[in-house]
Amino acid sequence: MNKLTGAILATLLTTTVALADPVDDNLVLNEETQIVTRTAAPAHLSDVLDEVMSGWLFRGTETRAMQADDFDNPGMIFVEQAMETWDAVDGTEGKSCSSCHNDIDSMAGVKPTYPKWDAKAGTVQTLQMQVNECRTERMGAEAWDYDKGAAINMEAALSSVSRGMPVNVAIDGPAQSTWEQGKEMYYTRTGQLELSCANCHEDNYGMMIRADHLSQGQINGFPAYRLKNTKLNGAHDRFKGCIRDTRAETYSPGSAEFIALELYVASRGNGLSVEGPSIRN
Amino acid sequence: MELTRRNAIILGASALFVAGLPKQSAAAATSDELIAAFTGGAEIGTGDIKLTAPEIAENGNTVPIEVSSDTAAEILVLAMGNPTPSVATFKFGKLAASRAASTRIRLAGTQDVVAIAKLDDGSFVQASSTVKVTIGGCGG
Amino acid sequence: MASGVKPRVKVPKTAAAGEAVTIKTLISHNMESGQRKDKEGNVIPRSIINRFTCDFNGENVIDITLEPAISTNPYFEFQALVPEAGEFKFTWYDDDGSVYEDSKKIALG
């Protein structure tokens, strides 16, 4: 019996160790777009991390494969819905997104720089806030609810045309104080479990948390199609889930706190490719 | 395994547990019934049927599987541990270039997935694969 | 009709006569299993795509019966023989009686 238990334990440990490291794999979308899923950490992280890695490297073989082809990627269903919205007139001004921006392909390069400082608004804005600014101020349409259907689908569509481009959010200049606020949040323990973002995603990435594989918590793949709820999920919604799991009162998607956290977490992935809509667990 | 006192207790407890389980709802056909309906009670052998499924599924909501055979006319797929075991039945037509298909299925937990093929010669063969379904991390 | 249902198919534009081509299909659909309960504890009634067929010039390629254990947004991949130029027809049958169709022409080349 002891021998048997020993053998089982050895197998379990081997399996766990084998699973714990991120895979050594290469993501090419539709056999043409090379995605950078690991690269040297940006300068502001150099004292804590050597390398930054996409969450894609921490997922299973089948999940990784599902993202490599746009037809296999169910997140693209929602992108297609947003592409139709892009051309649909909405609001009192009789305009669609394409009235001003033409084809959505012309938006390539926009997603990698968000969240960013908006001089007119005098604040850091996320891409969804920018979209809502267009809707309310230029289209005369109603703002979309944060991280909900239409908004998250549009963010995914805007992300999809930038896939393969490096995340490149500015952390200095007028955005710096917001970035500092996000950084403070990242390293602050919260909730009854007293966990900070860093406890899991900086100190223990690669380890198993129960049966799940802890990633670096990068958001270059957001919006992400999650297998667990079979829809697109925004970064703020994901933050909310993590904070809830520390058993803390959480913030709302679209809140000032999550905008700051999004800027900081995005900056930890500067240099990784935009992947959204990615496939995650 | 040797039948020690400890094992005997475990066995006894499991028997009690099974006896205490509620009966399957009347509407859901059992896997035995589904197999009997498909084969008409014919014997099931092994041979020209292959089932490809991940050893570990990251999420039970979306588990990719593939069934393939050289001579199957129809393939029945069952998830033996689901509340209703039926998954799908594939019937290949005259213009099927291969007797193979892939899809994505839901598994309620770690269990055996079974593919039973009715071959062109009228015989039945089966293949099965155990898929471990992992549970989430910290509830997220 | 269930809302937001949209079929997608991927078929090569050309094939040689007698060639086998790979076809992928995906339809956006919740595939409500009938196993889930709402917030009040009532069972959410089953509402799924229960059958999918693919035909080429009126001849069947594949006929699939779907059960609630097929994932949200049902996906299939299979191979078809293309004996001549023509049209693939894809049909999805919903529990609610709706029928969704798509078709793709393929030329010899």
Side-chain angles (χ1 to χ4, degrees), chain A residues 25-38 56 68 162-166 271-275:
Chain A
D25 198 359
N26 186 23
L27 177 57
V28 180
L29 294 181
N30 307 312
E31 296 176 357
E32 58 184 19
T33 309
Q34 177 67 51
I35 297 291
V36 175
T37 55
R38 66 167 80 210
W56 183 80
S162 289
R163 284 178 299 170
M165 295 177 164
L272 291 173
S273 293
V274 170
E275 275 180 45

Side-chain angles (χ1 to χ4, degrees), chain A residues 194-243:
Chain A
E194 295 186 35
L195 289 169
S196 72
C197 307
N199 290 147
C200 287
H201 297 290
E202 183 174 287
D203 304 338
N204 285 298
Y205 68 86
M207 305 284 274
M208 302 302 287
I209 182 160
R210 295 211 299 179
D212 206 357
H213 198 186
L214 269 177
S215 73
Q216 283 187 345
Q218 297 287 355
I219 56 171
N220 60 307
F222 278 78
Y225 180 91
R226 295 188 69 189
L227 300 177
K228 68 172 275 184
N229 59 16
T230 63
K231 63 181 177 102
L232 290 177
N233 295 255
H236 291 199
D237 255 344
R238 192 68 197 88
F239 294 157
K240 189 176 158 186
C242 266
I243 294 177

